Amino acid sequence: MQTEPEQTLIEGRGLARNFPQRRGLLGQARDVWALRDVNLTIARGETVGVVGESGCGKSTLGRIMLGLDEPTTGTVDFDGRDLFALSGPERRKLARRMQMVFQDPFGSLDPRRSVGAQIADGLRTHDIVPANEIPTEVARLAQQVGLSHDAINRRPHEFSGGQRQRIAIARALATRPDFIVADEPVSALDVSIQAQVVNLLMDLRRDLNLAMLFISHDLHVVRHLCNRIVVMYLGRIVEEGPADKVFGSPAHPYTRALLESTPSMKPTGRDLGDRVLPGELPSPMNPPSGCAFRTRCPLAEPACAQAVPPLDPQGPGWRAACIKAGPVKPAIPEPA
């Protein structure tokens, strides 16, 4: 059962991020926009899933919301404070409440140090508990994520991929955060292990009232875990809303196309027909005018090239950026 959202914890407004690139013999500068005019709010206890093809800006958004990367324009407020207006010491103090779980659990762990020592790092750095209580707290964190007590004395290479991801989650929890960004945290794991890690994240969200930004390309996982869904295409949000609405009756043609290309998640009312999303993501160096999805959309018409469509309401808390936006039914069944 999903936790009801509470008050806003973190809010990104007008976020844009460009990466200047030089190409050719003359070194002509071109901007690559990873994000364009993104607004995102996450409440305490809420898990927001971000989906879209590779290169759509999901990971860039996650890093900016954590303060690991600064936006070219826009602001991020965490618990009412402008993250990028804080001094270095103030931001480091706030960073204790914001943690990340990476895609590759082995690459994010130091192979030369014991698991317990790495979980203890955050406890020491942020003075979470007195020094004499650190061993007890490390053991508690290991148990919380389903690891045995003897695991804390071993090194990362002695564990499976799923166990290493549990270690990474324990390390993130050590600072007692309010907000976690999980960037493809189960994509490198076997399907059977994915379910265990996702269930662990669900339990932690419920027990600790964590806010979470969950980035994934796996729509099944996102549908199971998240309260709200954000669908991104070429740096912009094209649909956002409650998980049951976005997956059950998608309003944007791109969302429908993602579902069409995912086995067992096809809506049976089909404005798009029964076909896989054609073509490739356009280059962010030279995006199409107007709606960026129009070059792949079977519903496109000349008006789609004229202006970027706004995110218009489709229902309570539900928006889509398409001049032909509208829900498709019947809905996808709720997961068992």
Side-chain angles (χ1 to χ4, degrees):
M1 183 175 179
Q2 294 176 338
T3 303
E4 287 297 322
E6 301 176 2
Q7 73 271 27
T8 295
L9 176 66
I10 186 164
E11 181 178 9
R13 295 190 298 270
L15 297 177
R17 181 68 169 96
N18 77 314
F19 297 91
Q21 302 287 325
R22 294 191 176 276
R23 300 185 66 187
L25 296 175
L26 299 179
Q28 182 181 8
R30 300 286 298 273
D31 285 341
V32 176
W33 289 92
L35 291 182
R36 291 176 180 264
D37 194 26
V38 170
N39 298 287
L40 180 63
T41 299
I42 303 174
R44 295 179 185 274
E46 182 181 30
T47 300
V48 175
V50 183
V51 300
E53 294 166 283
S54 297
C56 71
K58 303 187 300 292
S59 293
T60 299
L61 176 60
R63 290 180 60 83
I64 288 176
M65 295 294 281
L66 271 182
L68 298 178
D69 189 12
E70 291 201 22
T72 304
T73 59
T75 61
V76 175
D77 286 356
F78 184 85
D79 207 9
R81 306 180 71 187
D82 185 342
L83 194 59
F84 299 107
L86 298 175
S87 66
E90 288 177 311
R91 193 189 294 189
R92 283 192 292 273
K93 185 176 180 180
L94 201 62
R96 178 192 70 77
R97 300 173 59 192
M98 311 164 73
Q99 293 294 318
M100 189 164 193
V101 177
F102 295 93
Q103 176 179 2
D104 179 7
F106 191 69
S108 64
L109 297 170
D110 186 342
R112 299 166 297 181
R113 302 173 64 217
S114 72
V115 164
Q118 295 184 65
I119 295 174
D121 285 341
L123 300 173
R124 290 195 177 90
T125 300
H126 296 284
D127 296 321
I128 303 299
V129 296
N132 65 326
E133 296 179 15
I134 287 178
T136 301
E137 181 66 5
V138 168
R140 186 191 70 80
L141 287 163
Q143 182 181 33
Q144 188 174 34
V145 299
L147 295 171
S148 61
H149 184 271
D150 67 335
I152 61 179
N153 298 315
R154 296 155 60 190
R155 295 188 180 183
H157 74 270
E158 300 179 59
F159 296 90
S160 67
Q163 289 172 319
R164 287 197 290 262
Q165 196 59 284
R166 290 175 184 271
I167 294 165
I169 293 169
R171 188 176 60 175
L173 294 177
T175 64
R176 299 178 183 174
D178 298 302
F179 175 54
I180 285 180
V181 173
D183 191 355
E184 299 277 10
V186 298
S187 63
L189 307 179
D190 292 338
V191 174
S192 60
I193 304 301
Q194 286 182 8
Q196 296 175 19
V197 174
V198 168
N199 287 335
L200 171 63
L201 291 172
M202 291 181 70
D203 291 342
L204 293 171
R205 178 190 65 188
R206 179 198 63 219
D207 297 343
L208 305 177
N209 200 30
L210 283 171
M212 190 181 305
L213 186 67
F214 188 87
I215 298 167
S216 180
H217 68 276
D218 190 324
L219 301 185
H220 290 286
V221 171
V222 171
R223 177 66 183 88
H224 185 65
L225 177 65
C226 300
N227 304 90
R228 188 156 51 93
I229 308 300
V230 168
V231 182
M232 295 189 67
Y233 188 82
L234 211 66
R236 295 185 187 273
I237 294 176
V238 297
E239 185 164 0
E240 175 188 7
D244 60 341
K245 297 297 185 183
V246 173
F247 283 116
S249 51
H252 195 283
Y254 179 58
T255 309
R256 298 173 211 158
L258 288 178
L259 295 173
E260 287 283 351
S261 63
T262 303
S264 79
M265 295 193 75
K266 295 182 179 182
T268 54
R270 307 187 201 283
D271 280 1
L272 284 179
D274 191 12
R275 48 180 152 170
V276 176
L277 181 65
E280 297 180 354
L281 200 70
S283 169
M285 281 190 176
N286 187 29
S289 62
C291 174
F293 184 58
R294 66 179 176 80
T295 58
R296 304 169 73 188
C297 180
L299 305 180
E301 57 186 43
C304 298
Q306 301 307 309
V308 176
L311 279 163
D312 288 330
Q314 305 297 313
W318 182 18
R319 304 180 298 163
C322 176
I323 63 174
K324 291 191 172 184
V328 171
K329 295 183 178 181
I332 298 166
E334 290 284 336

